[in-house]
Amino acid sequence: MTGQTLEQKLIAKAETAHQLTKMEIVHLLQAVGAEDDLAKAADRVRQIFVGDGVHLRGLIEFSNICRQDCMYCGLRRDNHKIERYRLTADEIVCLAQKAEGYGYQTVVLQSGEDLYFTAERLAEIIRRIKSMDLAVTLSVGERSFDEYKLWREAGADRYLLRIETTDKSLYESLDPGMSYENRVRCLMDLRALGYEVGTGTLVGLPGQSVTSIAEDILFYQQLDADMVGIGPLIPNPDTPLGKAAKGDFHLTRRMVSLLRLLLPEANIPATTAMETMVPRGRELILASGANVVMPNVTEGDSRRKYALYPGKICVADTPAQCRSCMGGRIKAMGRFVASDKGFRHHRQVQERS
């Protein structure tokens, strides 16, 4: 079609072929004026591939104790200002029972890398939750193949392990004592074990380039990620990056839209961090390609103590309030809360170059 801008041509290509080169992705990530058109195209692809249902997944933040020392994270080992806590197995299972009562089909068990939860301890918790006919997503960091295997055999369905950046030197400078190769090994082990594999990017890390963000997207395509969670950096003053600039909300939004266009079947959450930065941010991201929200079902003071970053929304709300609020907001968008467990549906086989 004549008269189209380069951005319009690239968006049309992404919407139909679900493929772009690295430089084409870079161009659209930088195309501030094309953000709304990009979001509209992503929303169309979202509707075709995953429909109008929004999957609500109940988040249980069961421990903020972590052996790692990532420079951007409030849970980091050397943050001595944070109030540490750890829920018991019975408390975790009780929260899962309540999540089922609120109508959730999936619970997400998330924590710092707390080695008190040995493979067998966590496997027993998974077994107890699976007896409720809930899907279980784990987000507990780097473990061995055998540990991942035990949890998979116990019934865990999905695993979320954000890589944050695929720039090896940046990754290792911000995650002291950790290995980029081991992070990738974990993702490949999870894929081999049959988990639905989730990963994602932290947008706005000091030293991160738009080119490296484009490389993240291509990595997620190569991995054929089932879930991709994207959020902006919100600096925590109790970390070495406390004085860093916030991540760019709009760049993050453009990345979400590109992910929907290039991984059309993936589950993509509208993250809490987006709404912490911009009022009604989750609705904006849901209208830009996302199809998942993870309301917090953790109760009491633990909600406040899981302090990844400052200013986190909904900390004072009850889980029942969160469930009711998100249900109403989704309905107001003309969407609906999905009633299934939200596993990825392979609608079409996409050619991968």
Side-chain angles (χ1 to χ4, degrees):
M1 182 186 297
T2 60
Q4 281 190 319
T5 66
L6 175 57
E7 289 79 13
Q8 288 170 331
K9 290 176 182 176
L10 292 179
I11 291 169
K13 176 183 175 182
E15 185 172 357
T16 55
H18 311 300
Q19 293 286 343
L20 291 173
T21 67
K22 179 165 72 175
M23 294 315 298
E24 288 170 339
I25 295 171
V26 168
H27 187 89
L28 287 177
L29 285 170
Q30 295 175 322
V32 175
E35 183 172 318
D36 287 342
D37 286 342
L38 191 62
K40 289 173 185 175
D43 200 45
R44 291 191 293 269
V45 169
R46 185 272 311 155
Q47 204 282 328
I48 291 167
F49 280 84
V50 298
D52 287 331
V54 176
H55 294 281
L56 297 185
R57 295 177 176 168
L59 179 62
I60 301 173
E61 296 167 333
F62 64 90
S63 171
N64 69 353
I65 296 167
C66 191
R67 62 173 170 163
Q68 305 291 10
D69 212 22
C70 302
M71 296 177 72
Y72 46 80
C73 182
L75 306 192
R76 69 193 307 263
R77 182 186 67 235
D78 286 353
N79 180 7
H80 301 298
K81 294 183 179 180
I82 192 171
E83 300 173 66
R84 301 290 179 177
Y85 76 92
R86 174 190 291 138
L87 301 185
T88 67
D90 286 346
E91 287 171 329
I92 296 167
V93 172
C94 180
L95 288 175
Q97 290 170 333
K98 291 180 179 181
E100 181 193 24
Y102 300 135
Y104 292 106
Q105 297 292 312
T106 296
V107 293
V108 181
L109 302 183
Q110 185 173 76
S111 71
E113 292 200 17
D114 183 353
L115 296 186
Y116 167 83
F117 289 97
T118 61
E120 187 49 58
R121 276 179 174 151
L122 195 50
E124 181 56 30
I125 292 167
I126 294 165
R127 292 184 195 106
R128 291 173 65 184
I129 294 174
K130 288 299 291 185
S131 70
M132 306 174 208
D133 191 31
L134 292 170
V136 173
T137 300
L138 296 178
S139 181
V140 297
E142 297 183 357
R143 295 291 187 104
S144 69
F145 180 91
D146 287 342
E147 288 171 299
Y148 290 150
K149 183 172 184 285
L150 179 63
W151 296 336
R152 181 75 178 128
E153 290 169 348
D157 302 285
R158 307 182 179 101
Y159 203 102
L160 177 59
L161 185 70
R162 290 193 8 176
I163 200 163
E164 309 298 12
T165 176
T166 56
D167 179 327
K168 180 180 186 297
S169 60
L170 180 61
Y171 178 94
E172 294 184 351
S173 71
L174 293 175
D175 300 289
M178 298 175 69
S179 155
Y180 176 78
E181 285 80 9
N182 191 57
R183 197 70 160 190
V184 173
R185 185 274 305 170
C186 289
L187 289 168
M188 297 308 173
D189 283 354
L190 294 164
R191 168 63 72 221
L193 287 165
Y195 284 91
E196 283 200 343
V197 178
T199 186
T201 294
L202 188 56
V203 176
L205 292 168
Q208 183 184 55
S209 68
V210 177
T211 299
S212 78
I213 292 174
E215 289 168 349
D216 294 350
I217 294 173
L218 292 171
F219 174 81
Y220 303 147
Q221 268 198 313
Q222 182 181 15
L223 180 65
D224 194 23
D226 302 295
M227 305 176 286
V228 187
I230 306 300
L233 173 68
I234 301 177
N236 187 315
D238 298 328
T239 68
L241 298 190
K243 295 186 184 302
K246 288 184 178 181
D248 186 324
F249 176 92
H250 293 284
L251 175 59
T252 308
R253 182 189 180 206
R254 293 193 294 277
M255 186 180 186
V256 167
S257 295
L258 279 163
L259 284 164
R260 173 58 65 204
L261 293 171
L262 300 180
L263 289 93
E265 302 167 342
N267 284 312
I268 301 175
T271 59
T272 304
M274 297 299 276
E275 188 156 325
T276 298
M277 290 189 75
V278 173
R280 298 280 165 171
R282 281 184 286 192
E283 278 99 330
L284 186 57
I285 299 304
L286 284 170
S288 304
N291 70 312
V292 172
V293 177
M294 296 195 294
N296 198 338
V297 299
T298 317
E299 294 181 346
D301 219 24
S302 299
R303 289 170 75 95
R304 176 184 61 82
K305 292 178 181 177
Y306 201 84
L308 297 171
Y309 52 81
K312 189 176 178 183
I313 60 166
C314 304
V315 169
D317 293 351
T318 68
Q321 288 170 330
C322 283
R323 173 63 181 83
S324 175
C325 173
M326 281 314 307
R329 290 165 63 178
I330 288 164
K331 184 177 180 181
M333 293 180 68
R335 305 267 287 272
F336 63 91
V337 175
S339 58
D340 63 293
K341 292 183 172 65
F343 291 109
R344 175 179 170 183
H345 294 293
H346 295 270
R347 300 276 179 108
Q348 272 178 253
V349 176
Q350 300 296 323
E351 293 283 333
R352 301 289 185 212
S353 58

